[in-house]
Amino acid sequence: MVELKTDREIDEMRAAGRVVARALAAVREAARVGVSLLDLDRVARGVLREAGATSPFLGYRPQFAPVPFPGVVCASVNDAIVHGIPDGYRLRDGDLVSMDCGAKLGGWVGDAAVSFTVGRARPADLRLIETSEAALAAGIAAAVPGNRIGDIAHAVGTVCRAAGYGVPDGFGGHGVGRSMHEDPGVPNEGPPGRGMKLRPGVVLAIEPMLIAGGTDDYRCDGDGWTLRTVDGSRAAHSEHTVAITAAGPRILTAP
């Protein structure tokens, strides 16, 4: 069931979204060569703690997971697509990092992700990241009353495929509210004009995931969480929590 949020509730979700934006900005600022993923997780924890927020990631255990998630960020490096567990890996020159973070404040959740490079960037990585951001922008632009979920999916997928990138099959965005994952699902590819009709009060996490090699294949690490490209090519992930309003899409996790 899809819960429609009131204007007041969307404002409250925006407060949670601001915390997410601050956490991702702090993590990106701290991400330098030699810094570990655990260090970056600690940075995000500090932002959440200062804001009086909790993490919807920490301790989360869906049915597929062998263990609860141990961090407040998903830290995915290079060929990791999503759900990377923050560990002792120290960032190296040229790494491509995707950071996904959530915050729960006042009973409401915000969820967003950003990809960036560390040190000297590869031009191919910058193009991949730029395309993920363009796909996200296209999806957000389609998040208007009267459109359907399929219109968001089609907008995202069109940008990804036109650039020659792969789209991991079966993964995409989702509803957000009092829980991190709510109805409806938001695919990253599909025909327009299909699926649930968008109405003011629907809040979605729109999150393109791109595979540089152009295939859609992925594998899961032994940790049961981290998804990686099968061909070893790099991946990027961009995400915002977005409210559908009569005035147009409202990005709740914007800085």
Side-chain angles (χ1 to χ4, degrees), residues 234-245:
R234 295 192 167 192
H237 177 205
S238 297
E239 177 184 17
H240 271 308
T241 297
V242 180
I244 284 80
T245 78

Side-chain angles (χ1 to χ4, degrees), residues 195-217:
M196 187 192 80
K197 195 168 187 178
L198 302 178
R199 300 166 55 192
V202 171
V203 180
L204 306 171
I206 301 172
E207 49 178 324
M209 306 165 198
L210 283 64
I211 296 175
T215 71
D216 300 347
D217 299 328

Side-chain angles (χ1 to χ4, degrees), residues 15 28 30-31 43-44 56 59 67 76 81 102-103 118 127 143 199 204 213 220 222 225 233 236 250-251 255:
R28 186 168 186 167
V43 168
V67 295
S76 306
I81 306 168
V118 175
R127 177 175 176 267
R199 300 166 55 192
L204 306 171
C220 188
W225 280 98
S233 66
R250 182 182 179 189
I251 304 174

Side-chain angles (χ1 to χ4, degrees), residues 45-58:
R45 287 175 191 250
V47 174
L48 297 183
R49 183 170 55 251
E50 182 179 347
T54 59
S55 170
F57 289 17
L58 185 63

Side-chain angles (χ1 to χ4, degrees), residues 14-35:
R14 172 61 174 144
R18 286 193 180 98
V19 177
V20 174
R22 290 199 297 272
L24 288 174
V27 165
R28 186 168 186 167
E29 177 66 24
R32 293 182 171 85
V33 173
V35 174

Side-chain angles (χ1 to χ4, degrees), residues 141-152:
V144 295
N147 271 359
R148 295 183 179 272
I149 291 292
D151 294 309
I152 297 175

